[in-house]
Amino acid sequence: QKEVEQNSGPLSVPEGAIASLNCTYSDRGSQSFFWYRQYSGKSPELIMFIYSNGDKEDGRFTAQLNKASQYVSLLIRDSQPSDSATYLCAFGMDSSYKLIFGSGTRLLVRP
Amino acid sequence: EADIYQTPRYLVIGTGKKITLECSQTMGHDKMYWYQQDPGMELHLIHYSYGVNSTEKGDLSSESTVSRIRTEHFPLTLESARPSHTSQYLCASSEGQGDTEAFFGQGTRLTVV
């Protein structure tokens, strides 16, 4: 079992819709969770991080964490064509120096 | 804005050549990472370091080597480049333990012919 599982997509949504991206992880020792966005040919850039169970909102983005279910998600409200990219989830542990990435979900927002 | 720099951005080199990919950060971060990523594929951790004189191999086996003589500098070396080494190499750094965000450089796209 991979440490981080993401649906590779593509996830296609119309402009203005809510895009929902999901990620599951296997290590219960994981303490911090990150969502990165990566445009084609570019480096990943951090969108959000979340450490505690529940929701965390930042503008159009909401991260949701459920440690009991080992599940983290990212909601993008009012999706725009410029949101079309690959979204990577990642997790880290306080006891480890590694940051583990999922394989990413490709999001396509149709105008 | 992250201050982590990679050079060169693009490199085309012949088989058998020795190459060094440079990565420097000015944020004083203890942790640094090298990831390898083929187009449209996932990031693979190939090396990481948690401080000066500490380096570890990542989850993906790589023929490259790294060094960490100074906090700000984490170069990656291939002693004899092969076409199978063609890929994008991304350097990243973060502060402290495993629970902090990583900042990425712009990457080096390596092509071995």
Side-chain angles (χ1 to χ4, degrees):
Chain A
Q1 182 187 4
K2 294 182 71 172
E3 292 181 278
V4 185
E5 298 274 3
Q6 287 185 262
N7 188 322
S8 62
L11 172 66
S12 181
V13 301
E15 184 175 356
I18 295 175
S20 177
L21 305 161
N22 306 311
C23 177
T24 58
Y25 60 96
S26 60
D27 195 322
R28 290 193 174 273
S30 306
Q31 295 178 317
S32 53
F33 304 86
F34 307 91
W35 281 101
Y36 285 81
R37 177 176 61 199
Q38 186 176 26
Y39 291 112
S40 180
K42 302 294 186 182
S43 298
E45 55 180 336
L46 183 74
I47 298 175
M48 291 192 69
F49 60 89
I50 185 167
Y51 300 147
S52 305
N53 276 328
D55 295 358
K56 179 181 179 182
E57 187 174 318
D58 183 1
R60 295 188 296 114
F61 300 96
T62 299
Q64 299 174 317
L65 175 60
N66 184 325
K67 290 189 177 182
S69 301
Q70 295 176 252
Y71 178 93
V72 60
S73 64
L74 179 71
L75 301 177
I76 306 175
R77 290 181 298 281
D78 189 23
S79 296
Q80 301 296 310
S82 58
D83 294 326
S84 297
T86 296
Y87 289 80
L88 306 164
C89 72
F91 75 88
M93 294 180 282
D94 187 50
S95 60
S96 167
Y97 296 98
K98 293 196 295 184
L99 189 61
I100 307 298
F101 282 85
S103 56
T105 298
R106 192 157 68 91
L107 173 66
L108 176 64
V109 181
R110 308 186 305 272
Chain B
E1 186 173 324
D3 295 314
I4 179 165
Y5 307 99
Q6 290 186 243
T7 57
R9 290 287 310 281
Y10 304 93
L11 178 62
V12 180
I13 200 162
T15 297
K17 299 292 185 182
K18 177 180 179 179
I19 57 170
T20 296
L21 308 184
E22 302 287 351
C23 177
S24 295
Q25 49 96 3
T26 59
M27 297 171 282
H29 287 169
D30 288 327
K31 293 188 299 178
M32 296 189 75
Y33 310 85
W34 277 104
Y35 290 89
Q36 184 175 342
Q37 186 180 37
D38 293 326
M41 305 299 285
E42 62 188 285
L43 285 165
H44 291 288
L45 180 67
I46 53 175
H47 298 282
Y48 64 102
S49 166
Y50 43 87
V52 171
N53 293 326
S54 82
T55 60
E56 299 287 343
K57 289 192 176 294
D59 301 318
L60 180 69
S61 176
S62 174
E63 294 168 342
S64 58
T65 59
V66 293
S67 63
R68 190 88 183 275
I69 298 173
R70 302 198 315 266
T71 298
E72 63 271 21
H73 198 211
F74 190 41
L76 181 145
T77 298
L78 277 165
E79 291 292 333
S80 180
R82 296 207 303 270
S84 61
H85 296 139
T86 296
S87 188
Q88 170 146 283
Y89 293 83
L90 290 161
C91 180
S93 73
S94 67
E95 183 178 7
Q97 297 277 51
D99 57 349
T100 54
E101 66 188 275
F103 296 93
F104 282 83
Q106 292 187 300
T108 294
R109 188 169 297 281
L110 172 66
T111 302
V112 184
V113 297

